[in-house]
Amino acid sequence: MAWLTPLFISALVIGTLLELWLSGRQVATVTAHRGAVPEPFAGSVSAQEHAKAADYTIAKARLARITTLVDAALTLALTVGGGIAAIDALWRHTQWSQPWLGLAVIASVALVIQLIHLPFSVWRTFKLEARFGFNRTTLALYLADLAKGMALAVLLGAPLVAATLLLMQRAGRWWWVWAWVLWLAVMLIMAWAWPAFIAPLFNRFSPLKDASLKARIEALLQRCGFASKGVFVIDNSRRSSHGNAYFTGIGRYKRIVFFDTLLERLAHPEVEAVLAHELGHFRLKHVRKRLLLSVLTTFLGLALLGWLTGRPDFYTALGVPVPSTHAALLLFMLVVPVFMFFITPLASLWSRRHEFEADEFATRYANASELAAALVKLHRDNASTLTPDPVYAAFYYSHPPPLARISRLRAAAGAAAA
């Protein structure tokens, strides 16, 4: 597999250059349209708000360029640069057996990655987000979240990694099938446990108290034939002024969750329309389709890893002279995303189609003009650019560009009125 080394390096370099080129297009387009609000938004977005969104988009893009270069350098350093091999050699002096050796090496690599990313996270939260008036996270809260996240990684991630390493070592040729079954079980358990036990460690979930809005939501759920375990509001305002809404949980344990910042900004009919859109994803089986795709890709990925672990040249081609189960896992997790980056436009296109379908569903159970008004407010208050570069949007955007999406909703509202 000598060909893997130049292929991997070429893919990483081309992908990095492509990311930088797309970012440059985005910055140039947003800058060129900074001074003029698009006509469909002229009555609802001020010139000052539009300029703020442009400046926020440009600032995020500039930070993303730096992180792109750092990530590419880090990936090279850990793989063909010998970083994983050096950490592995260091831990081998302990004479530990599996899975403890593997856990130590994987934890060390994860810690290195976390420490390198930490300054960017701090800058993003306390400089970039604060500069545009979005950050409400205190240093104490940031450190508490960081500590909780690391504790969960140890308590939940370490047993899963240890079990996977043992399966790789002892379950024979078809270990990856058993690993897939294990990962699938963990995914389902986490989908059930996250809203009830894990998410409350980070946010306070309170039942929706607004009786009028609650009655409107319950009527919408009944019209759509949707059952949930309740409607909750989380205190996102402790961390950020950004607003959002989402579903969590599976089966009968689904919860509807609104950010308190979203409820502060939207009128009741607009909240209903946003919820109708989210319900559309469930009723149109978008969530199920994405889950099935995730299950399938995990199966195929583990099958590929099962084949690669038996090839000593797989390790040497990527900078690891001593084959091991933990090295195989680390290399796979670092190398696969480099190649998967090139299918990003297909995933984005699929997601945008789902968003249009959910919008169409929402117009059948709520008011299209209210959904359009809600989206305008969300774009304005979250400082999302209204004038993205079309190539950048086609490559990355999981949601349709605002002009196309809101124009379609307004057209639907006009047709309904006519």
Side-chain angles (χ1 to χ4, degrees), residues 52 55-56 58-60 62 123-135:
K52 175 185 175 181
D55 294 340
Y56 182 52
I58 293 168
K60 289 193 298 180
R62 287 172 176 167
W123 182 272
R124 185 180 299 108
T125 301
F126 294 105
K127 289 294 185 179
L128 194 153
E129 292 290 312
R131 172 187 165 193
F132 291 93
F134 293 124
N135 180 53

Side-chain angles (χ1 to χ4, degrees), residues 205-226:
F205 287 71
S206 305
L208 179 64
K209 296 178 180 179
D210 189 323
S212 174
L213 179 58
K214 187 175 181 180
R216 182 184 286 270
I217 288 174
E218 288 174 349
L220 173 64
L221 295 176
Q222 187 173 9
R223 292 199 304 274
C224 296
F226 187 90

Side-chain angles (χ1 to χ4, degrees), residues 249-319:
I250 58 174
R252 297 177 298 168
Y253 299 96
K254 294 187 293 290
R255 287 184 174 187
I256 300 166
V257 180
F258 292 108
F259 285 21
D260 54 357
T261 47
L262 180 123
L263 296 182
E264 291 170 1
R265 296 169 182 163
L266 301 187
H268 289 185
E270 294 168 345
V271 174
E272 178 186 31
V274 170
L275 179 56
H277 169 89
E278 297 299 331
L279 288 170
H281 286 305
F282 273 92
R283 299 298 294 173
L284 298 172
K285 297 181 174 57
H286 294 160
V287 176
R288 184 181 301 177
K289 291 175 182 177
R290 294 177 188 183
L291 178 61
L292 290 174
L293 179 62
S294 176
V295 170
L296 177 61
T297 53
T298 301
F299 181 85
L300 295 176
L302 285 170
L304 176 60
L305 179 58
W307 176 70
L308 290 172
T309 52
R311 302 290 302 268
D313 46 355
F314 163 67
Y315 303 89
T316 54
L318 296 172

